[in-house]
Amino acid sequence: MAHDHHHHDTHGPAHGHAHGHTHDHADLDWAEMAPHLEAQAELYTPLYRQALDWLAREVTEPGLVVDVGSGPGVVSCLFAETFPGARVVAADGTGPLLERARARAGRLGFADRFGTLAGDLPGALSELDYPVDLMWASQSLHHLPDQRAALAALGGHLAPGGTLAILEGGLPARFLPRDIGIGRPGLQARIRAVEEDVFAEMRADLPDSVAETEDWPAMLTAAGLKHTGTRSFLLDLPAPLSDAARDYVTTSLSRLRERIGERLDAEDRAALDRLLDPADEAGVHRRQDVFVLVAHTVYTAVRPV
């Protein structure tokens, strides 16, 4: 799915899917953010296609596919393309993003077998007409206070033998060499360390938050499902970048500057500001060594028959 996490780029893209949660989303302008979320998901499409091709070998001819926390529906439509016999439902807590999902499905010719479901997740899934054969949740569970309970709730909507696929974790997105010629080497690693602290604070601040060791196969098993597979998928966009990829890097770093800039020391903050200055030859708008390299991990589990 395509989303904006508002905390860091590698518990997902700079994104956020399951907009059923409320910890920091109430004041967001989703209509304004939607183009960025769509552009990011489109950029990540090669990675998503790898994941869906893998799922298609595990799940044959599903009748109902549900994208939990779909955002603007880029990945939902990839599911419709991958499984031409399936009905696909994009489920999200944000109406403006679901409007874009419906419009996208219409443009791509999937409208007759594409639906949307609005509401807080996972509770809104109770409105589904029949059990789900394949359910996808991308970088959404970690926004919910009790992740194990959420997995159990998702699994409860699966048909016997149905598959739950969750995308969580992986490797952080990298955009720059270790030594970028300004400031101290290792800027992105230090930014990442701050992001980890912000993420931990986000989790701790969720109402009724439950601390959990992030052993997803164990959590899936505890939720009553049978873990069936784990695989990571790579997005490798080497330098020189396309304009779209460069825009993504610029937007991602700009959002990081807004969210965590004041937690960086003065030297790192100055280096980040130079990177974001369109007039600076050392900035990401102009430099030729900018790349995108990220890995996302998908875990699958089946509801026992």
Side-chain angles (χ1 to χ4, degrees):
M1 332 179 122
H3 0 279
D4 188 340
H5 280 189
H6 327 304
H7 55 269
H8 60 350
D9 219 75
T10 57
H11 277 101
H15 49 288
H17 268 308
H19 305 304
H21 45 83
T22 58
H23 65 273
D24 61 351
H25 289 180
D27 58 348
L28 292 171
D29 185 339
W30 291 110
E32 179 182 341
M33 285 190 61
H36 166 63
L37 300 181
E38 281 189 349
Q40 176 177 286
E42 289 166 355
L43 191 72
Y44 275 65
T45 288
L47 183 154
Y48 294 131
R49 286 193 188 280
Q50 294 173 54
L52 269 58
D53 288 347
W54 178 60
L55 289 175
R57 293 194 290 272
E58 306 294 321
V59 183
T60 58
E61 300 183 359
L64 176 61
V65 178
V66 177
D67 183 354
V68 180
S70 64
V74 176
V75 177
S76 310
C77 288
L78 290 176
F79 273 105
E81 176 186 309
T82 301
F83 298 104
R87 175 166 178 77
V88 176
V89 172
D92 203 277
T94 306
L97 297 182
L98 290 179
E99 291 174 11
R100 295 181 80 100
R102 285 191 294 270
R104 186 181 194 89
R107 289 195 306 272
L108 295 175
F110 304 136
D112 61 336
R113 54 187 181 89
F114 190 94
T116 58
L117 180 59
D120 286 347
L121 300 169
L125 299 179
S126 61
E127 298 178 29
L128 292 169
D129 292 333
Y130 52 94
V132 183
D133 300 302
L134 174 59
M135 184 178 295
W136 168 265
S138 172
Q139 298 161 334
S140 52
L141 286 164
H142 65 247
H143 286 288
L144 300 174
D146 189 336
Q147 297 169 104
R148 189 179 302 204
L151 286 172
L154 294 178
H157 294 287
L158 291 174
T163 294
L164 172 62
I166 61 169
L167 187 157
E168 290 285 351
L171 294 175
R174 292 298 301 255
F175 307 139
L176 296 160
R178 183 190 64 87
D179 190 338
I180 59 174
I182 57 176
R184 287 183 294 146
L187 172 65
Q188 222 180 331
R190 291 189 297 278
I191 289 175
R192 176 62 183 179
V194 174
E195 288 186 284
E196 289 287 2
D197 289 340
V198 171
F199 181 78
E201 292 167 11
M202 180 279 289
R203 287 283 316 154
D205 289 345
L206 290 172
D208 303 317
S209 178
V210 177
E212 193 77 63
T213 299
E214 291 180 355
D215 181 344
W216 291 101
M219 280 194 279
L220 288 162
T221 300
L225 304 173
K226 179 184 178 183
H227 173 239
T228 52
T230 300
R231 186 165 171 184
S232 295
F233 302 94
L234 186 71
L235 180 70
D236 180 11
L237 305 178
L241 288 180
S242 66
D243 290 343
R246 190 177 294 274
D247 287 346
Y248 161 67
V249 171
T250 302
T251 301
S252 298
L253 291 177
S254 296
R255 291 181 61 76
L256 281 170
R257 178 64 176 89
E258 294 169 8
R259 292 199 309 274
I260 69 166
E262 297 312 310
R263 293 185 179 227
L264 301 174
D265 67 28
E267 185 177 8
D268 283 347
R269 195 161 52 244
L272 184 54
D273 286 343
R274 284 194 64 185
L275 285 171
L276 291 169
D277 183 353
D280 196 320
E281 290 293 338
V284 293
H285 297 82
R286 301 190 179 201
R287 60 188 305 144
Q288 294 302 302
D289 58 356
V290 183
F291 58 88
V292 177
L293 183 63
V294 61
H296 287 331
T297 302
V298 177
Y299 304 88
T300 57
V302 170
R303 181 176 182 173
V305 176

